[in-house]
Amino acid sequence: MDTAVPHLHPMGVIDQLDTAFRLYRRHFVTFVGIAALLRVPLLALAAALGLVGVKDAGFLGASYELQGPLSLLELLGDMIIQGVLAVAVARAYLGRPTGGIPGVFRYCLHGRRFITLILSSLATTAIVLALFVPTYIGLVTVGWAGWLCMIPAVVAVVPISLRLTLVPQVVLLEDQGTIAGIRRTWDLMKGHLQRVLGLNLLLGLVTQLIPQGLTGLAVWASETLSISPSLSRWLTSGFSMLITLLLMPVPLAAYTLFYYDLRIRKEGYDLQVRAESLAP
């Protein structure tokens, strides 16, 4: 059931995380279904490749030679999931019909929006990776001493990556183009890097501690039940991926709420929504 239009107001990162969990519980099937629709087939493909007897198994049994293509597919899938979940969370937060899983995918994957989402996501990834080029050059030319180049790379990549956090939200929720979306995100995040850093740290604790704790319990249970090591490894790996899949919508929901918080603080978006609700 879709909620009524909320009383929009500036929120701290704790409030954003709390609201993200409430939206997650209310729209559990839609949010998790969006993530599962792309992630589950990829996991099934990797598992199937592992079952055909390829030696030197890696990710879920897939050979190391297949890690590159599988990682690329996973990257593209995550880009799509980020955009689709951003739209679903935005609709749920504003009290509008989400349209269900088919409706949200149909909106996001429509021609220009889909291309812009992929191009903007690839562009932001390329910008971040380009900052590590000096590290790669240092490793090639001066060996392990080149790791010293990692320090300026990290110093540069953290604020830039934080400032580009909301590109999927801007591109899809404002129907922006690739360059315009990146520029708009850069301007919108100005002056709020400390807040988004705090949100990232908080989300990191939630999305890391919960899976690790539950996975540790699964390992303890398998050892207690004297399950064979190979079966235990498969069960533990599958359980860990299931928990990660279930938690995936939470940080993406929090980022979307952070996007609206910035618009409320900088542009009076709450007043705009209120005025639209009063219009005949």
Side-chain angles (χ1 to χ4, degrees):
M1 178 182 300
D2 292 298
T3 61
V5 176
H7 175 63
L8 301 180
H9 61 280
M11 293 187 294
V13 294
I14 301 296
D15 293 330
Q16 289 165 8
L17 185 60
D18 178 65
T19 304
F21 271 109
R22 285 193 282 110
L23 289 175
Y24 173 76
R25 291 195 301 268
R26 192 172 297 130
H27 300 273
F28 176 82
V29 174
T30 300
F31 290 0
V32 175
I34 289 171
L37 192 61
L38 293 175
R39 271 300 186 96
V40 171
L42 179 61
L43 295 175
L45 174 62
L49 291 174
L51 291 176
V52 298
V54 182
K55 62 181 180 179
D56 297 328
F59 171 64
L60 271 185
S63 67
Y64 292 123
E65 291 81 2
L66 297 171
Q67 293 304 298
L70 287 174
S71 298
L72 179 59
L73 288 175
E74 184 178 3
L75 175 63
L76 293 176
D78 285 348
M79 291 177 181
I80 298 173
I81 291 173
Q82 289 175 15
V84 177
L85 272 174
V87 173
V89 171
R91 292 177 176 179
Y93 177 57
L94 298 177
R96 300 167 183 169
T98 61
I101 298 174
V104 182
F105 268 96
R106 186 162 52 247
Y107 174 84
C108 296
L109 302 185
H110 180 270
R112 175 180 175 273
R113 294 191 191 98
F114 173 69
I115 295 174
T116 304
L117 172 64
I118 297 301
L119 289 179
S120 60
S121 299
L122 290 175
T124 53
T125 302
I127 291 172
V128 173
L129 291 179
L131 297 174
F132 288 99
V133 171
T135 301
Y136 175 77
I137 296 176
L139 288 173
V140 173
T141 56
V142 297
W144 290 105
W147 283 109
L148 294 176
C149 300
M150 180 68 75
I151 298 176
V154 172
V155 172
V157 78
V158 170
I160 291 178
S161 61
L162 289 176
R163 201 154 176 176
L164 297 175
T165 300
L166 303 179
V167 168
Q169 283 78 5
V170 170
V171 165
L172 289 178
L173 299 180
E174 300 185 19
D175 208 13
Q176 296 274 3
T178 300
I179 303 300
I182 293 176
R183 186 183 297 115
R184 161 74 168 160
T185 306
W186 188 269
D187 295 336
L188 194 62
M189 291 290 293
K190 185 178 181 180
H192 292 269
L193 295 188
Q194 290 182 343
R195 294 182 61 238
V196 75
L197 177 60
L199 179 62
N200 273 279
L201 293 175
L202 185 61
L203 290 171
L205 289 175
V206 172
T207 57
Q208 293 297 323
L209 291 181
I210 294 178
Q212 289 180 2
L214 293 176
T215 302
L217 289 176
V219 172
W220 174 81
S222 63
E223 292 176 350
T224 303
L225 298 174
S226 301
I227 299 176
S228 65
S230 59
L231 179 59
S232 175
R233 184 169 59 253
W234 270 83
L235 292 176
T236 303
S237 178
F239 182 75
S240 176
M241 291 180 181
L242 175 62
I243 297 301
T244 302
L245 176 66
L246 293 176
L247 286 177
M248 181 181 290
V250 174
L252 299 177
Y255 290 140
T256 303
L257 296 177
F258 190 85
Y259 159 80
Y260 280 112
D261 181 74
L262 290 180
R263 292 198 62 185
I264 291 171
R265 293 173 185 268
K266 290 190 168 188
E267 302 171 349
Y269 182 74
D270 53 333
L271 301 179
Q272 176 185 337
V273 172
R274 190 177 306 171
E276 291 176 352
S277 66
L278 295 176

